[in-house]
Amino acid sequence: MTGNAPGQRPRARVPVGLLVLVLLPLILMPIAAVFVFALKGGPGAFWQAFTTEDAQFALRFSLLIAFLTAAINAVLGTWASYVLSKYRFPGEKPLTIAINLPVAIPTVVVGTSLLLLWGPIGLFGKFLEPLGLQPMFTPVGVLLAHLFVTFPYMLGAVKPLLDELEVTYEEAAYTLGAGKWQTFRFVILPALRGGLFSGTLLTFAHSLGEFGATVMVSGNLRLRTQTAPLYIFAQFEAGHVAEANAVAAVLAALSFVIFFFLLRYSGGPKR
């Protein structure tokens, strides 16, 4: 009879093998299929499909929107996390639930809600339309949708760290004469480094692949508001599989890079 020494993990060849067997058709093979079809015609065909004007615009536009979304939500999400963690007020729990709602709401519904608020016939949009100010079907509308959809990611990454942070460190800083801003900058912010990094990367990654809300508020206008996921969808609809797969492979590769940095530098437990 064999056993495992105390503190050692049991060998699990059969469970791990079964897990890989389940993951193959669910995750691993579909991802591999993207690269297989992207390179099916050879590197030359892939490069030609990847360097078309529409593909280049869609990728650059997606990266710009994802960068702006991550930067803005890094600030807003950290501020919201600080307020919800450090202050007690009536309606705190309903507000926390409301902030996290974008995770549960279908993204198409998010896009619809933004249209009904800011669109030409929306509650606010109908007053902006006569002034020539219309955020929908413009890059501004796309950015609004991405900010809405990704906002909870920063909150989820930063707020738990603030909740666990010992208040004695802040009190010691105040005792030494530091103001609120100095305490936040030199005491609290360094403790949030891992959460800020992971939250920002998750926000960037989700924004890069966002589809449902974007398709509603952008109009899917080529060379104007068409993001990379919308470009892939449009190319597949048109029967241009090579062009769609080229951009899909690039997005998949970017996702791998992002999650490599998440696993490597997010400050997880060391083994």
Side-chain angles (χ1 to χ4, degrees), residues 104-116 148-149 212-213 216-217:
I105 298 176
T107 53
V108 173
V109 176
V110 171
T112 304
S113 67
L114 289 172
L115 279 174
L116 294 176
F148 189 126
V149 170
M216 295 296 294
V217 303

Side-chain angles (χ1 to χ4, degrees), residues 56-78:
Q56 288 292 296
F57 173 85
L59 281 168
R60 287 197 300 267
F61 184 59
S62 285
L63 289 169
L64 174 63
I65 292 295
F67 176 80
L68 291 174
T69 301
I72 294 171
N73 271 348
V75 176
L76 293 179
T78 303

Side-chain angles (χ1 to χ4, degrees), residues 143-167:
L143 180 60
L144 282 174
H146 284 229
L147 290 172
F148 189 126
V149 170
T150 63
F151 190 82
Y153 290 99
M154 185 59 67
L155 189 77
V158 173
K159 189 174 181 297
L161 297 178
L162 282 168
D163 292 339
E164 294 174 3
L165 188 64
E166 291 288 343
V167 72

Side-chain angles (χ1 to χ4, degrees), residues 168-187:
T168 51
Y169 295 118
E170 295 178 61
E171 291 174 348
Y174 294 139
T175 302
L176 293 171
K180 284 192 173 183
W181 168 245
Q182 290 176 311
T183 302
F184 179 80
R185 182 181 175 186
F186 296 108
V187 177

Side-chain angles (χ1 to χ4, degrees), residues 243-259:
E243 287 80 357
N245 276 324
V247 176
V250 172
L251 285 185
L254 284 171
S255 299
F256 293 153
V257 172
I258 290 168
F259 278 95

